[in-house]
Amino acid sequence: MTSIRNNLQQVRDRITTACARAGRSADSVQLLAVSKTMPLAHVLDAMAAGQTAFGENYVQEGVQKVEALRAWEAEGGGPGRAQWHLIGPLQSNKTRLVAAHFDWVHSVDRLKIAERLAEQRPQELASLQVCIQVNIDGGASKSGVAPEDTLALARAVAALPRLVLRGLMTIPEPVAGFEAQRAVHARARALFEQVRDAGVGPAFDTLSMGMTADLEAAIDAGSTLVRVGTAIFGAR
């Protein structure tokens, strides 16, 4: 518990420092704690330290955590309501589970996935918040739509019911050095602004980029949400 609390504070301090360097307010960047492969006890420790938003890569693992916390909450216990983001690849056969359990999906990379999420989102739940994943640097092993196809996909997703298009997400290949990292993130920021300025919707406000190793460069380039796992929960 103490270690996770301390780690969270150190990450928050990094965000604050990076924002100050970029001339931005610290509250302009959201921290998403990536809890993939971590036990529910670690999530509870992070929640006790004030963290409320969590990212999961694997659908079934994430659903198990969501269901456990919500069952506890329904019984009058638990630390409160967490916000759950799916940040890993999403296959068609898992969209129903995701639509029923998650609050956000960052990894929409084709229209078929978005259409299934829209169709399968339960009516009693708030609209699902989604980001389009972009393969910003053309990495062969990375998921995501090509930059030149992003605007067309964004327009199609924005037109679907039960979804709210919130922005873009990127996971570029690792590069060494602040300037090299920033250069890749700056390309994502430029694409984000292009799509936003094309008028895809008033809620298009999220640029999900930056992780433990490059969050400073991502914030300097304009990230509004950083996804941090190792620096909070330790190595996997």
Side-chain angles (χ1 to χ4, degrees):
M1 166 62 183
T2 302
S3 176
I4 289 176
R5 180 182 294 274
N6 290 343
N7 291 347
L8 270 168
Q9 188 56 55
Q10 290 175 13
V11 172
R12 290 170 183 147
D13 289 345
R14 287 176 62 185
I15 292 171
T16 298
T17 299
C19 285
R21 169 178 173 160
R24 301 175 58 187
S25 168
D27 62 9
S28 67
V29 178
Q30 180 184 0
L31 172 60
L32 185 66
V34 179
S35 49
K36 68 174 183 180
T37 75
M38 292 294 156
L40 183 58
H42 285 22
V43 172
L44 296 176
D45 285 348
M47 292 182 73
Q51 181 65 27
T52 58
F54 296 89
E56 291 286 329
N57 282 59
Y58 309 114
V59 173
Q60 194 60 53
E61 178 191 348
V63 166
Q64 289 172 356
K65 291 174 184 174
V66 172
E67 289 181 337
L69 275 180
R70 290 182 182 169
W72 193 6
E73 182 183 12
E75 294 172 356
R81 179 72 156 80
Q83 184 185 83
W84 293 95
H85 298 232
L86 182 73
I87 60 175
L90 178 54
Q91 298 174 336
S92 296
N93 63 350
K94 297 291 180 64
T95 54
R96 187 175 298 277
L97 278 173
V98 172
H101 290 84
F102 284 83
D103 303 294
W104 283 66
V105 178
H106 292 228
S107 47
V108 172
D109 61 359
R110 56 198 187 278
L111 184 57
K112 177 183 177 181
I113 293 294
E115 289 173 335
R116 290 176 65 88
L117 290 171
E119 177 186 347
Q120 295 166 349
R121 182 69 168 176
Q123 289 295 320
E124 68 272 15
L125 296 182
S127 295
L128 185 64
Q129 312 297 296
V130 300
C131 292
I132 291 174
Q133 183 173 353
V134 181
N135 188 350
I136 195 64
D137 57 353
S141 64
K142 299 295 184 182
S143 300
V145 64
E148 61 270 22
D149 297 326
T150 301
L151 178 55
L153 179 57
R155 285 177 168 151
V157 172
L160 293 171
R162 310 293 298 144
L163 303 183
V164 177
L165 179 61
R166 294 299 300 269
L168 306 181
M169 186 268 268
T170 63
I171 311 175
E173 296 287 351
V175 293
F178 179 89
E179 292 302 331
Q181 293 170 350
R182 191 191 186 286
V184 177
H185 291 314
R187 287 158 55 190
R189 170 63 184 271
L191 180 62
F192 169 82
E193 292 178 343
Q194 175 191 343
V195 175
R196 182 197 62 196
D197 293 347
V200 293
F204 194 85
D205 60 1
T206 301
L207 183 53
S208 170
M209 64 181 187
M211 298 184 285
T212 293
D214 64 349
L215 70 85
E216 285 85 2
I219 290 171
D220 199 68
S223 173
T224 68
L225 183 151
V226 292
R227 309 178 307 270
V228 180
T230 301
I232 296 172
F233 297 111
R236 290 171 169 78

